[in-house]
Amino acid sequence: MFITFEGLDFCGKSTQVHLLEKLLISQGAQVKVIREPGGTNISEKIRNVLLDKKNKEMLVETELILFAASRAQLVGEIILPLLEANAYVISDRFHDSSIAYQAFGRGIKLEFVDELQKFVIGKAVPDITFLIDIPIEEVVRRKSLVKQVELDRIERSKIDFYKKVREGYLYLASRENRFSKIDGALSIEEIHNIIIKEISKYSKG
Ligand code: TYD
């Protein structure tokens, strides 16, 4: 089963990925957690280029294609073989991030970004995607708690950018049946419980 987590920066998805991983392992399942961009030697190198604060001159076209390249490698090297072996694969971000951030956020044509994602992921379509949705004001508040020097290149973006990214996610949640949108204002435990329920519904159904 392939499960992905999506949401704006600081939405709390990494905490949920970790909790779910612990639970599935305690049930004896084979689980692999990956983070995007990254997850293979080649993809981690691409990640460093993408998130390096010094790369201020990066074009949006370059950004889109580097995310796609990192993902293609991850799909072929890690995700597909694990899914074929019946493991759980949990990804902290996946192709929906490119639609939300690069198409909606950066303004690259949606049809093109969609087509590129199909090419890159092939059969590795997530079974369930959890969108942890938080309002922009909450992103701003949580971001203000982090020291400016610790923010990566994309986290330094302006409010306007995050508004567009959120619109992108809400659009995807209404377009794709595999999406489950969760209110990010709920407690960590409440969100975790919703996730468990959704996964067991899927497994039974
Ligand atoms: P990361 O530090 O992994 O952030 P997070 O913990 O919030 O997932 O950095 C990933 C950044 O890259 C994040 O700001 C979202 C952005 N991103 C894209 O713009 N497009 C993509 O396709 C992906 C996977 C991430």
mmCIF file of all heavy atoms in Angstrom, residues 9-10 13-14 36-37 47 51 63 67 71 92-94 97-98 101-102 152 154-155, ligand 1:
data_model
loop_
_atom_site.group_PDB
_atom_site.id
_atom_site.type_symbol
_atom_site.label_atom_id
_atom_site.label_comp_id
_atom_site.label_asym_id
_atom_site.label_seq_id
_atom_site.Cartn_x
_atom_site.Cartn_y
_atom_site.Cartn_z
ATOM 1 N N ASP A 9 4.117 23.860 4.177
ATOM 2 C CA ASP A 9 5.226 23.773 5.126
ATOM 3 C C ASP A 9 4.668 24.047 6.529
ATOM 4 O O ASP A 9 3.786 24.881 6.684
ATOM 5 C CB ASP A 9 6.279 24.838 4.778
ATOM 6 C CG ASP A 9 6.825 24.644 3.364
ATOM 7 O OD1 ASP A 9 7.605 23.717 3.162
ATOM 8 O OD2 ASP A 9 6.418 25.402 2.472
ATOM 9 N N PHE A 10 5.162 23.364 7.505
ATOM 10 C CA PHE A 10 4.783 23.522 8.921
ATOM 11 C C PHE A 10 3.375 22.992 9.248
ATOM 12 O O PHE A 10 2.812 23.330 10.277
ATOM 13 C CB PHE A 10 4.852 25.002 9.379
ATOM 14 C CG PHE A 10 6.109 25.696 8.952
ATOM 15 C CD1 PHE A 10 6.091 26.625 7.916
ATOM 16 C CD2 PHE A 10 7.327 25.421 9.568
ATOM 17 C CE1 PHE A 10 7.248 27.258 7.509
ATOM 18 C CE2 PHE A 10 8.492 26.057 9.164
ATOM 19 C CZ PHE A 10 8.454 26.980 8.135
ATOM 20 N N LYS A 13 2.832 17.381 8.987
ATOM 21 C CA LYS A 13 2.716 16.058 8.361
ATOM 22 C C LYS A 13 3.858 15.124 8.746
ATOM 23 O O LYS A 13 3.638 13.930 8.874
ATOM 24 C CB LYS A 13 2.545 16.151 6.836
ATOM 25 C CG LYS A 13 3.688 16.732 6.125
ATOM 26 C CD LYS A 13 3.382 17.012 4.684
ATOM 27 C CE LYS A 13 4.428 17.957 4.165
ATOM 28 N NZ LYS A 13 5.825 17.710 4.638
ATOM 29 N N SER A 14 5.046 15.668 8.976
ATOM 30 C CA SER A 14 6.171 14.780 9.309
ATOM 31 C C SER A 14 5.926 14.053 10.638
ATOM 32 O O SER A 14 6.284 12.874 10.779
ATOM 33 C CB SER A 14 7.485 15.561 9.350
ATOM 34 O OG SER A 14 7.639 16.225 8.117
ATOM 35 N N GLU A 36 10.391 13.481 0.287
ATOM 36 C CA GLU A 36 10.595 14.107 -1.019
ATOM 37 C C GLU A 36 10.918 15.574 -0.855
ATOM 38 O O GLU A 36 10.264 16.231 -0.045
ATOM 39 C CB GLU A 36 9.308 13.983 -1.834
ATOM 40 C CG GLU A 36 9.249 12.726 -2.633
ATOM 41 C CD GLU A 36 9.058 13.055 -4.105
ATOM 42 O OE1 GLU A 36 9.947 13.687 -4.703
ATOM 43 O OE2 GLU A 36 8.019 12.698 -4.634
ATOM 44 N N PRO A 37 11.805 16.163 -1.604
ATOM 45 C CA PRO A 37 12.698 15.470 -2.512
ATOM 46 C C PRO A 37 13.775 14.715 -1.739
ATOM 47 O O PRO A 37 14.188 15.155 -0.679
ATOM 48 C CB PRO A 37 13.313 16.612 -3.324
ATOM 49 C CG PRO A 37 13.260 17.803 -2.421
ATOM 50 C CD PRO A 37 12.040 17.620 -1.580
ATOM 51 N N ARG A 47 18.143 17.092 -4.008
ATOM 52 C CA ARG A 47 17.509 17.820 -2.898
ATOM 53 C C ARG A 47 18.395 18.987 -2.425
ATOM 54 O O ARG A 47 17.913 20.087 -2.186
ATOM 55 C CB ARG A 47 17.253 16.857 -1.728
ATOM 56 C CG ARG A 47 16.666 17.545 -0.506
ATOM 57 C CD ARG A 47 16.583 16.619 0.716
ATOM 58 N NE ARG A 47 16.110 17.350 1.866
ATOM 59 C CZ ARG A 47 14.828 17.479 2.191
ATOM 60 N NH1 ARG A 47 13.899 16.919 1.475
ATOM 61 N NH2 ARG A 47 14.480 18.188 3.252
ATOM 62 N N LEU A 51 17.104 22.873 -2.350
ATOM 63 C CA LEU A 51 16.759 23.583 -1.109
ATOM 64 C C LEU A 51 17.862 24.526 -0.618
ATOM 65 O O LEU A 51 17.660 25.273 0.336
ATOM 66 C CB LEU A 51 16.388 22.574 -0.009
ATOM 67 C CG LEU A 51 15.181 21.675 -0.335
ATOM 68 C CD1 LEU A 51 14.844 20.774 0.851
ATOM 69 C CD2 LEU A 51 13.949 22.486 -0.720
ATOM 70 N N GLU A 63 13.435 24.314 -11.269
ATOM 71 C CA GLU A 63 12.894 23.749 -10.031
ATOM 72 C C GLU A 63 11.944 22.579 -10.334
ATOM 73 O O GLU A 63 12.081 21.487 -9.777
ATOM 74 C CB GLU A 63 12.153 24.858 -9.284
ATOM 75 C CG GLU A 63 11.611 24.442 -7.937
ATOM 76 C CD GLU A 63 10.837 25.581 -7.275
ATOM 77 O OE1 GLU A 63 9.636 25.750 -7.581
ATOM 78 O OE2 GLU A 63 11.437 26.291 -6.462
ATOM 79 N N PHE A 67 12.721 18.582 -9.305
ATOM 80 C CA PHE A 67 11.815 17.787 -8.465
ATOM 81 C C PHE A 67 11.400 16.515 -9.215
ATOM 82 O O PHE A 67 11.339 15.430 -8.634
ATOM 83 C CB PHE A 67 10.555 18.581 -8.087
ATOM 84 C CG PHE A 67 10.729 19.474 -6.877
ATOM 85 C CD1 PHE A 67 10.605 20.849 -6.978
ATOM 86 C CD2 PHE A 67 11.005 18.935 -5.630
ATOM 87 C CE1 PHE A 67 10.754 21.673 -5.862
ATOM 88 C CE2 PHE A 67 11.158 19.748 -4.508
ATOM 89 C CZ PHE A 67 11.031 21.125 -4.629
ATOM 90 N N ARG A 71 12.224 12.576 -8.224
ATOM 91 C CA ARG A 71 11.083 11.661 -8.041
ATOM 92 C C ARG A 71 11.194 10.433 -8.945
ATOM 93 O O ARG A 71 10.921 9.312 -8.513
ATOM 94 C CB ARG A 71 9.795 12.435 -8.321
ATOM 95 C CG ARG A 71 8.517 11.661 -8.119
ATOM 96 C CD ARG A 71 7.326 12.624 -8.099
ATOM 97 N NE ARG A 71 7.485 13.610 -7.057
ATOM 98 C CZ ARG A 71 7.338 14.932 -7.226
ATOM 99 N NH1 ARG A 71 6.982 15.425 -8.386
ATOM 100 N NH2 ARG A 71 7.531 15.742 -6.215
ATOM 101 N N ASP A 92 6.555 11.315 2.627
ATOM 102 C CA ASP A 92 6.339 12.665 3.130
ATOM 103 C C ASP A 92 6.500 13.587 1.915
ATOM 104 O O ASP A 92 7.616 13.917 1.537
ATOM 105 C CB ASP A 92 7.411 12.945 4.192
ATOM 106 C CG ASP A 92 7.135 14.206 4.975
ATOM 107 O OD1 ASP A 92 6.350 15.048 4.496
ATOM 108 O OD2 ASP A 92 7.723 14.362 6.071
ATOM 109 N N ARG A 93 5.376 13.919 1.275
ATOM 110 C CA ARG A 93 5.251 14.623 -0.006
ATOM 111 C C ARG A 93 5.465 13.655 -1.174
ATOM 112 O O ARG A 93 6.247 12.705 -1.090
ATOM 113 C CB ARG A 93 6.252 15.772 -0.187
ATOM 114 C CG ARG A 93 6.100 16.883 0.825
ATOM 115 C CD ARG A 93 6.889 18.112 0.397
ATOM 116 N NE ARG A 93 6.722 19.192 1.346
ATOM 117 C CZ ARG A 93 5.630 19.943 1.428
ATOM 118 N NH1 ARG A 93 4.635 19.750 0.589
ATOM 119 N NH2 ARG A 93 5.530 20.881 2.336
ATOM 120 N N PHE A 94 4.760 13.940 -2.285
ATOM 121 C CA PHE A 94 4.980 13.201 -3.535
ATOM 122 C C PHE A 94 4.543 14.100 -4.690
ATOM 123 O O PHE A 94 4.620 15.331 -4.553
ATOM 124 C CB PHE A 94 4.227 11.852 -3.486
ATOM 125 C CG PHE A 94 4.686 10.848 -4.502
ATOM 126 C CD1 PHE A 94 6.023 10.515 -4.629
ATOM 127 C CD2 PHE A 94 3.780 10.229 -5.375
ATOM 128 C CE1 PHE A 94 6.456 9.585 -5.576
ATOM 129 C CE2 PHE A 94 4.192 9.304 -6.315
ATOM 130 C CZ PHE A 94 5.529 8.983 -6.415
ATOM 131 N N SER A 97 2.721 17.522 -4.507
ATOM 132 C CA SER A 97 3.461 18.728 -4.103
ATOM 133 C C SER A 97 3.865 19.535 -5.329
ATOM 134 O O SER A 97 3.863 20.763 -5.301
ATOM 135 C CB SER A 97 4.726 18.365 -3.317
ATOM 136 O OG SER A 97 4.423 18.043 -1.983
ATOM 137 N N SER A 98 4.230 18.857 -6.413
ATOM 138 C CA SER A 98 4.638 19.591 -7.623
ATOM 139 C C SER A 98 3.446 20.310 -8.246
ATOM 140 O O SER A 98 3.591 21.399 -8.806
ATOM 141 C CB SER A 98 5.258 18.654 -8.652
ATOM 142 O OG SER A 98 6.596 18.387 -8.294
ATOM 143 N N TYR A 101 2.762 23.243 -5.566
ATOM 144 C CA TYR A 101 3.826 24.261 -5.458
ATOM 145 C C TYR A 101 4.262 24.811 -6.826
ATOM 146 O O TYR A 101 4.405 26.013 -6.985
ATOM 147 C CB TYR A 101 5.055 23.684 -4.730
ATOM 148 C CG TYR A 101 4.921 23.651 -3.223
ATOM 149 C CD1 TYR A 101 4.133 22.680 -2.598
ATOM 150 C CD2 TYR A 101 5.558 24.578 -2.412
ATOM 151 C CE1 TYR A 101 4.001 22.638 -1.210
ATOM 152 C CE2 TYR A 101 5.437 24.548 -1.019
ATOM 153 C CZ TYR A 101 4.662 23.576 -0.429
ATOM 154 O OH TYR A 101 4.541 23.539 0.946
ATOM 155 N N GLN A 102 4.505 23.913 -7.800
ATOM 156 C CA GLN A 102 5.048 24.413 -9.068
ATOM 157 C C GLN A 102 3.930 24.897 -10.010
ATOM 158 O O GLN A 102 4.087 25.935 -10.651
ATOM 159 C CB GLN A 102 5.909 23.341 -9.753
ATOM 160 C CG GLN A 102 7.348 23.273 -9.228
ATOM 161 C CD GLN A 102 7.450 22.828 -7.774
ATOM 162 O OE1 GLN A 102 6.948 21.768 -7.395
ATOM 163 N NE2 GLN A 102 8.099 23.641 -6.946
ATOM 164 N N ASP A 152 14.623 26.840 4.619
ATOM 165 C CA ASP A 152 15.228 26.524 3.319
ATOM 166 C C ASP A 152 14.713 27.485 2.245
ATOM 167 O O ASP A 152 13.897 28.364 2.521
ATOM 168 C CB ASP A 152 15.026 25.043 2.958
ATOM 169 C CG ASP A 152 13.574 24.673 2.691
ATOM 170 O OD1 ASP A 152 12.881 25.453 2.022
ATOM 171 O OD2 ASP A 152 13.141 23.583 3.143
ATOM 172 N N ILE A 154 12.681 27.315 -0.247
ATOM 173 C CA ILE A 154 11.247 27.404 -0.544
ATOM 174 C C ILE A 154 10.454 27.914 0.661
ATOM 175 O O ILE A 154 9.519 28.688 0.516
ATOM 176 C CB ILE A 154 10.729 26.046 -1.063
ATOM 177 C CG1 ILE A 154 11.427 25.766 -2.404
ATOM 178 C CG2 ILE A 154 9.210 26.043 -1.250
ATOM 179 C CD1 ILE A 154 11.117 24.441 -3.037
ATOM 180 N N GLU A 155 10.897 27.533 1.862
ATOM 181 C CA GLU A 155 10.188 28.010 3.065
ATOM 182 C C GLU A 155 10.283 29.529 3.227
ATOM 183 O O GLU A 155 9.531 30.121 3.984
ATOM 184 C CB GLU A 155 10.770 27.324 4.318
ATOM 185 C CG GLU A 155 10.301 25.885 4.471
ATOM 186 C CD GLU A 155 11.062 25.114 5.544
ATOM 187 O OE1 GLU A 155 12.111 25.615 6.013
ATOM 188 O OE2 GLU A 155 10.629 24.023 5.890
HETATM 189 P P1 TYD B 1 11.235 19.880 3.231
HETATM 190 O O1 TYD B 1 12.290 20.443 4.095
HETATM 191 O O2 TYD B 1 11.198 18.432 2.966
HETATM 192 O O3 TYD B 1 9.844 20.419 3.754
HETATM 193 P P2 TYD B 1 8.645 19.718 4.485
HETATM 194 O O4 TYD B 1 9.186 19.210 5.779
HETATM 195 O O5 TYD B 1 7.665 20.844 4.647
HETATM 196 O O6 TYD B 1 8.125 18.643 3.565
HETATM 197 O O7 TYD B 1 11.315 20.724 1.886
HETATM 198 C C1 TYD B 1 10.563 20.464 0.838
HETATM 199 C C2 TYD B 1 10.187 21.776 0.205
HETATM 200 O O8 TYD B 1 10.069 21.564 -1.198
HETATM 201 C C3 TYD B 1 8.835 22.273 0.692
HETATM 202 O O9 TYD B 1 8.868 23.679 0.850
HETATM 203 C C4 TYD B 1 7.908 21.939 -0.455
HETATM 204 C C5 TYD B 1 8.790 21.950 -1.655
HETATM 205 N N1 TYD B 1 8.381 21.033 -2.737
HETATM 206 C C6 TYD B 1 7.979 21.542 -3.963
HETATM 207 O O10 TYD B 1 7.939 22.768 -4.154
HETATM 208 N N2 TYD B 1 7.637 20.661 -4.975
HETATM 209 C C7 TYD B 1 7.695 19.309 -4.819
HETATM 210 O O11 TYD B 1 7.380 18.542 -5.762
HETATM 211 C C8 TYD B 1 8.126 18.792 -3.546
HETATM 212 C C9 TYD B 1 8.231 17.316 -3.307
HETATM 213 C C10 TYD B 1 8.463 19.684 -2.538
#
